[in-house]
């Protein structure tokens, strides 16, 4: 009788130990997942400069008279600051595709940047310059010598590098509206691009820059 009671007690102790081990393991897994949940990259427009080219010398008189008809082409120089807010997770970017819009539907031009790997460092950021050439005569008068709000759209595919493992590709699209002054410079300070919840990869490479 005593041996039977002892056997049942040992089984109960063993079962209780297994439950405790499973609880501890589940708790550790939850903590690890919370600690390693990736934060999304942060894209900021640090500066914008619209550089017009004229068919004759550019001087202050022409500038103040708004002689947009003298503009033969425009180069929009966009400075992007890319940050990784994670402490233990790196980003593997594929090529970046950037599109600029005069309105939500009127595209100014497109450009691209090669992908790269961004490590996880506290407070680290990478600055990349994007140049978009604009030669469409119908747009030159709209974006030179006057202020407007330019829509910046950026899309890329990202993989997270967690320790030595890599996740699948995640399609991400970001956009922001950047105020441009009549002098062709961005107004105000850095502007953050916001993630679009339903991003779809646009074939921006088919559009002419």
């Amino acid at each position: 009788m005593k041996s039977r009671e002892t056997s049942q007690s040992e089984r109960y102790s063993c079962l209780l130990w297994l439950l405790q081990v499973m609880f501890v393991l589940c708790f550790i897994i939850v903590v690890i997942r919370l600690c390693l949940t990736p934060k999304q990259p942060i894209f900021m427009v640090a500066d914008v400069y619209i550089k017009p080219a004229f068919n004759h010398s550019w001087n202050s008189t022409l500038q103040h008279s708004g002689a947009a008809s003298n503009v033969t082409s425009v180069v929009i120089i966009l400075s992007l600051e890319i940050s990784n807010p994670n402490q233990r997770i790196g980003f593997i970017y594929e090529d970046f595709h950037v599109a600029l819009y005069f309105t939500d539907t009127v595209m100014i031009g497109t450009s691209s940047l090669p992908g790269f790997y961004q490590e996880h460092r506290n407070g680290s950021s990478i600055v990349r310059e994007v140049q978009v050439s604009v030669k469409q005569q119908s747009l030159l008068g709209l974006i030179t010598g006057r202020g407007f709000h330019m829509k910046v759209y950026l899309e890329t595919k990202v993989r997270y590098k967690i320790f030595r493992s890599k996740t699948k590709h995640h399609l991400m699209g970001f956009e922001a509206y950047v105020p441009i002054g009549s002098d062709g410079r961005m107004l105000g300070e850095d502007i953050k691009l916001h993630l679009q919840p339903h991003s779809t990869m646009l074939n921006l490479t088919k559009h002419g820059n």
Side-chain angles (χ1 to χ4, degrees):
M1 186 70 176
K2 289 184 178 179
S3 61
R4 181 178 298 180
E5 292 179 354
T6 302
S7 177
Q8 290 179 351
S9 177
E10 290 177 351
R11 290 179 182 177
Y12 176 78
S13 299
C14 182
L15 180 60
L16 181 61
W17 179 82
L18 287 175
L19 289 175
Q20 290 175 341
V21 170
M22 291 178 61
F23 176 79
V24 172
L25 288 176
C26 289
F27 178 77
I28 292 174
I29 291 173
V30 170
V31 171
I32 291 175
R33 287 181 62 88
L34 290 175
C35 292
L36 296 180
T37 299
K39 297 180 181 177
Q40 295 159 349
I42 299 174
F43 295 92
M44 305 285 291
V45 179
D47 193 20
V48 175
Y49 174 51
I50 299 179
K51 183 179 179 181
F54 295 85
N55 56 16
H56 52 74
S57 60
W58 174 249
N59 54 52
S60 58
T61 302
L62 287 174
Q63 183 177 9
H64 290 294
S65 65
S69 59
N70 296 306
V71 179
T72 58
S73 65
V74 160
V75 175
I76 301 178
I77 303 173
L78 185 75
S79 180
L80 290 173
E81 183 176 327
I82 308 169
S83 302
N84 181 359
N86 297 285
Q87 295 184 356
R88 299 177 181 86
I89 300 172
F91 291 136
I92 303 173
Y93 299 104
E94 289 198 356
D95 290 352
F96 297 86
H97 299 282
V98 178
L100 306 180
Y101 295 83
F102 177 74
T103 64
D104 286 335
T105 57
V106 179
M107 181 181 289
I108 297 174
T110 66
S111 186
S112 62
L113 291 172
F116 60 91
Y117 171 66
Q118 186 173 25
E119 297 181 356
H120 48 87
R121 294 178 180 175
N122 292 333
S124 66
S125 61
I126 297 174
V127 178
R128 290 289 188 270
E129 186 179 276
V130 182
Q131 294 192 11
V132 178
S133 298
V134 185
K135 297 181 180 180
Q136 299 181 44
Q137 293 296 319
S138 59
L139 290 172
L140 298 181
L142 299 176
I143 64 177
T144 56
R146 64 179 65 188
F148 68 101
H149 280 75
M150 182 174 68
K151 178 182 174 181
V152 178
Y153 179 78
L154 179 149
E155 64 184 20
T156 185
K157 289 182 178 179
V158 182
R159 284 190 295 167
Y160 301 109
K161 184 178 180 182
I162 304 174
F163 298 117
R164 294 187 178 181
S165 63
K166 301 174 184 177
T167 67
K168 65 179 182 179
H169 289 93
H170 297 271
L171 172 62
M172 293 185 177
F174 299 82
E175 69 177 28
Y177 290 87
V178 180
I180 306 297
S182 58
D183 59 351
R185 303 303 297 259
M186 183 178 82
L187 300 176
E189 300 179 352
D190 297 355
I191 296 177
K192 181 179 180 180
L193 278 74
H194 298 283
L195 179 68
Q196 300 306 296
H198 303 291
S199 301
T200 55
M201 181 64 76
L202 300 178
N203 195 353
L204 299 180
T205 58
K206 287 187 176 181
H207 296 277
N209 291 352

